[in-house]
Each structure stands twice: as structure tokens, then as C-alpha cells.
Amino acid sequence: MSDKLLIFSYRTTTRGGPGGYGLPVGYRYFNIDKNYSIERRQRFEDETIEIQHYQVNQNGKFKEIPVTSECYNQFPPKDKKKHSSKSLLLSNFQANNYLRSYHEDKNDFYDMTMTLNIEENIFCLNYQRSFPITLNKINAKKFFNNENLYQQQVENFKKVGIDISNELEYITFQNIENTRLTNFLLNGNQAIYMDNKLFFVGDNYFAFFWQPKDEELFYEYE
């Protein structure tokens, strides 16, 4: 063994235990891509999250890579004894201000944490990349430009109490190419935004996310 890195663990929890609602405090989450780049996230007792990036170098060592964010201008101060100088540390508000999912099967979106700021026309992916957005209205038939898809989605939206048979609101994402999210966007860059919810729809899927209110961003400790 030339090196080691702890990438997943349950240390403790104040949210009802592993498998309960919300991320447990002390939880480490990781993602490894095809180039063996590793992202590690650590949640702390004060609800902050630290994001670290690592790359395996030619000597078989885990080299930490600096993490930056286009999504925020200010970040909480770091405790040098606790946090890496190269990591991205998010405040408790930033860490919890992500879109909650109503999707029954979350596997399609498991590695995407999405944040939506309608007032500033900004969408963020995984706390790090930001994308400008525009919000517009259009006739639903014209938007789908496919009768079968139109009828299918009218019925899907009826199930959640929304009528899109005439007009709908939609979001267009700028510069969103080369992300996994494009697999779920109509025309590669569009999603429906109705009733303060973001919908990803297609022939074989119907998933939607909602933006929690300020008072819903934090969980009650048990």
C-alpha cells in the first residue's frame, strides 16, 4: 500500500441514524470519476460541509487539488486544525440550500446537488459550477413540439395538481453542456419551472425538485 484516504464513514448522527431523513452529521460522501479524480464531502456538527478534491498521481499517492466555487462570494472562516487550506468550506446555510427531490428513484440524480436562485437567475451544480438561466412562458404544445409527449406530460402534471395544457413556464440553462444534467433537459438546455418546482421531463422520466423555504433549510436535532 503506497497511500490511503478515508472516503466514506458514519461517525455520529443527530438525524435519526443512517438511513433516516437528511444527511447524518459526521457523514462522508465521495464520488470517483473515470479519471480517478475523487471528490470527498464531510458534514460537521455545525452543519457546514467541506469539499475536497484528490487525484491519484504517478507515484500512487493521493494529491489534494484546490477546490473553487463560482456560486458564492463569501465563505465561512476555516479552523486550520480541522480543515484543509485547499478545500471548499460551505456555511450551514449554503450547505443546506439545495433543491429537495420528489423523484421516487434518485439514482439518476445521485451525484448532482442542485441550487436554484431565481431572483439572481443563477443555477448551481454541486456547489461549484454556476450557470446563468432565463425564465420564460410559452404555449405548452409549442414547447414540446410533439403531440404524444405533450399529452403524456399534461397527464403527468395533473397528478401533481398543475395544469400545463395551455401555457407553461420554463427555464433555459446557459453553458450547461458537458454535464450529466443535459441528459434530463429538453433540447439539451431546458426544464419546466412551475409552482416553485423544477421539473425534468422526457419520454421515460418525470422528476421534480423544490426549493425549501428559509425555515425549512435546517433539520431539528433529535
Side-chain angles (χ1 to χ4, degrees):
M1 181 183 294
S2 60
D3 201 2
K4 62 181 179 180
L5 176 69
L6 179 61
I7 56 176
F8 181 83
S9 72
Y10 284 112
R11 189 156 49 94
T12 183
T13 180
T14 57
R15 298 191 181 180
Y21 295 105
L23 290 176
V25 174
Y27 172 81
R28 285 189 178 90
Y29 158 89
F30 72 96
N31 184 52
I32 304 176
D33 70 14
K34 62 183 180 181
N35 298 315
Y36 300 103
S37 296
I38 301 170
E39 177 172 290
R40 182 175 75 167
R41 297 183 189 179
Q42 169 72 53
R43 181 180 286 271
F44 297 93
E45 295 284 350
D46 59 1
E47 295 285 336
T48 60
I49 285 183
E50 182 176 36
I51 300 175
Q52 294 172 276
H53 287 180
Y54 293 89
Q55 180 68 58
V56 179
N57 64 21
Q58 293 180 343
N59 297 321
K61 302 288 186 180
F62 293 106
K63 180 181 179 182
E64 187 174 3
I65 309 298
V67 187
T68 59
S69 175
E70 304 168 343
C71 301
Y72 310 102
N73 296 320
Q74 295 182 332
F75 302 95
K78 289 183 179 179
D79 181 345
K80 294 182 179 179
K81 296 180 181 179
K82 193 174 184 179
H83 303 296
S84 165
S85 61
K86 297 181 179 180
S87 69
L88 172 64
L89 183 64
L90 302 171
S91 70
N92 53 4
F93 184 89
Q94 292 167 343
N96 286 292
N97 186 31
Y98 57 88
L99 297 176
R100 305 320 198 245
S101 172
Y102 280 103
H103 193 235
E104 293 182 0
D105 182 3
K106 297 181 181 179
N107 289 334
D108 291 338
F109 297 88
Y110 79 96
D111 61 348
M112 292 184 285
T113 303
M114 297 177 287
T115 305
L116 182 62
N117 188 331
I118 288 293
E119 290 76 17
E120 297 183 8
N121 295 320
I122 291 294
F123 174 85
C124 278
L125 195 57
N126 295 333
Y127 302 114
Q128 296 158 60
R129 296 183 62 186
S130 68
F131 304 90
I133 60 173
T134 56
L135 186 62
N136 295 286
K137 295 182 179 181
I138 193 174
N139 176 272
K141 280 193 174 183
K142 184 176 180 180
F143 179 78
F144 290 111
N145 195 31
N146 179 296
E147 182 64 23
N148 290 334
L149 183 58
Y150 164 74
Q151 294 293 345
Q152 176 188 356
Q153 297 308 325
V154 166
E155 293 303 313
N156 284 336
F157 276 87
K158 279 184 181 179
K159 296 175 184 177
V160 294
I162 298 176
D163 181 10
I164 64 164
S165 59
N166 293 315
E167 187 178 67
L168 59 78
E169 288 187 273
Y170 68 98
I171 284 177
T172 300
F173 300 82
Q174 307 298 325
N175 307 318
I176 198 74
E177 302 84 2
N178 301 319
T179 70
R180 282 194 63 247
L181 192 63
T182 57
N183 297 330
F184 307 100
L185 297 176
L186 290 169
N187 303 315
N189 65 351
Q190 293 175 331
I192 296 173
Y193 184 74
M194 301 285 287
D195 194 24
N196 296 318
K197 299 178 181 69
L198 185 62
F199 293 83
F200 300 97
V201 302
D203 291 328
N204 302 313
Y205 59 90
F206 180 79
F208 60 103
F209 297 76
W210 61 282
Q211 174 64 43
K213 300 176 182 178
D214 287 352
E215 60 269 22
E216 297 174 316
L217 289 178
F218 303 100
Y219 298 86
E220 292 293 331
Y221 292 159
E222 298 181 0

